[in-house]
Amino acid sequence: MLVYTTRRLLLIIPTLLIVSMIVFLTVRLLPGDIVDSIAKSAVLAGGGPVDREAIERVLGLDVPIYVQYARWLGDIVLHGDLGDSLRSGEPVAAKIGSRLAVTFELGLISIVMALLIGLPIGIYSAIRPDTIGDYLGRSVSITLIAIPSFWAATLVVLYPSIWWGWSPPMELIPFSEDPLGNLGQFIIPSFVTGMWMSGVGMRMTRTMMLEEMRKDHIRTAWAKGLGEGVVVTRHALKNALIPVISIIGLELPMLVAGAIIAEQIFALPGMGRLLLEALHGKDYTVISGVNLIIATAIVMSNLLVDLSYAYLDPRVRYS
């Protein structure tokens, strides 16, 4: 286990290096650049002619792109510094740090809600196949998969305000000031964000549980007179959860994309909104920093998913 974990941790380094290169280069291929944006803003503000070369020199954009990348990567490796925002001059690490807790809370609650909804319904559908409850569960799962999260989020904000004069709070309620209000504010965005994951989890749990319940060791457990709860939880569920956990790991990038949409629609000041603001302002260092943090979180989450296999199934061994 230790050797496998060490090897996977070492593989994270080239993975993040490739991701950083792709993000760093791709964002600079977008039409226009931040120098054009700053020059346009200066002209609209009534300023005089703008010296583009001076702006590029101040922002460090007067050197070839590979030199810019080397400087940025060197600061991260040697000093743990993600650089400064090209717009505000504020350290990127500070900007991300102020938004990280919101995105983390949204993602955590989304995953918990998706599991709390998807797993029980999927298990029930598998142990009661072809019943009304099974048909309802499958219908719910297909509905959750089919509904686009951005459309559902828009309806949640729009229609309650028209029909009942209610809308979700548009200002963040700090957890330290009002824990219940904070959790209440995140419930709806988290449900919308985790809908697709919940639906997929239902379908996968039902499929794997049905397959597991037909195996010989399950028949043996029934023949020994064990109760349904023991058979399901001790003998079937752990084996059936391995593919489900794998799917959850693969769904994490989708969860990040959904979080960006939810933060924008529900006005949550998280990293998703920060990324959109940086893209709009072509703030290269902020875009690269946010993507690097997101990529690191996804890679580490997938590592935890892989390591959980040994707990769910003792037959799994890593070397």
Side-chain angles (χ1 to χ4, degrees), residues 117-118 120-126 128 131-145 198-203 206:
I117 295 173
I121 296 178
I123 294 171
Y124 179 83
S125 294
R128 298 288 188 274
T131 62
I132 295 178
D134 179 30
Y135 292 135
L136 288 175
R138 282 190 281 176
S139 299
V140 169
S141 67
I142 294 173
T143 302
L144 293 178
I145 294 172
S198 180
V200 173
M202 287 183 203
R203 300 288 295 178
R206 180 184 184 277

Side-chain angles (χ1 to χ4, degrees), residues 189-211:
S190 298
F191 175 75
V192 172
T193 303
M195 282 195 318
W196 190 82
M197 178 183 288
S198 180
V200 173
M202 287 183 203
R203 300 288 295 178
M204 181 59 68
T205 302
R206 180 184 184 277
T207 300
M208 299 313 302
M209 282 293 294
L210 281 174
E211 180 180 338

Side-chain angles (χ1 to χ4, degrees), residues 99 103 259-260 263-264 270-277 290:
R99 308 287 190 102
T103 300
I260 293 175
E263 288 177 6
Q264 185 68 15
M271 288 204 303
R273 286 189 68 187
L274 177 62
L275 180 60
L276 290 176
E277 293 167 3
V290 171

Side-chain angles (χ1 to χ4, degrees), residues 23-30 32 61 65 68 86 284-285 288:
V23 172
F24 195 90
L25 296 174
T26 303
V27 72
R28 283 160 173 75
L29 297 178
L30 296 173
L61 303 177
I65 189 170
Q68 298 176 34
L86 300 182
Y284 302 144
T285 52
S288 300

Side-chain angles (χ1 to χ4, degrees), residues 254-273:
M254 296 291 294
L255 185 66
V256 172
I260 293 175
I261 296 171
E263 288 177 6
Q264 185 68 15
I265 294 177
F266 291 97
L268 297 174
M271 288 204 303
R273 286 189 68 187

Side-chain angles (χ1 to χ4, degrees), residues 50-127:
V50 177
D51 187 349
R52 288 182 53 88
E53 293 183 359
I55 297 176
E56 290 177 348
R57 187 163 52 253
V58 170
L59 298 180
L61 303 177
D62 58 331
V63 295
I65 189 170
Y66 60 86
V67 177
Q68 298 176 34
Y69 176 75
R71 289 177 177 175
W72 177 73
L73 187 62
D75 286 339
I76 294 176
V77 174
L78 299 177
H79 309 292
D81 183 10
L82 294 173
D84 297 329
S85 169
L86 300 182
R87 282 281 180 181
S88 64
E90 183 182 354
V92 174
K95 292 177 73 70
I96 293 176
S98 64
R99 308 287 190 102
L100 185 60
V102 174
T103 300
F104 177 79
E105 183 177 1
L106 178 63
L108 180 62
I109 297 177
S110 298
I111 293 175
V112 171
M113 290 187 67
L115 294 178
L116 290 178
I117 295 173
L119 292 183
I121 296 178
I123 294 171
Y124 179 83
S125 294
I127 62 178

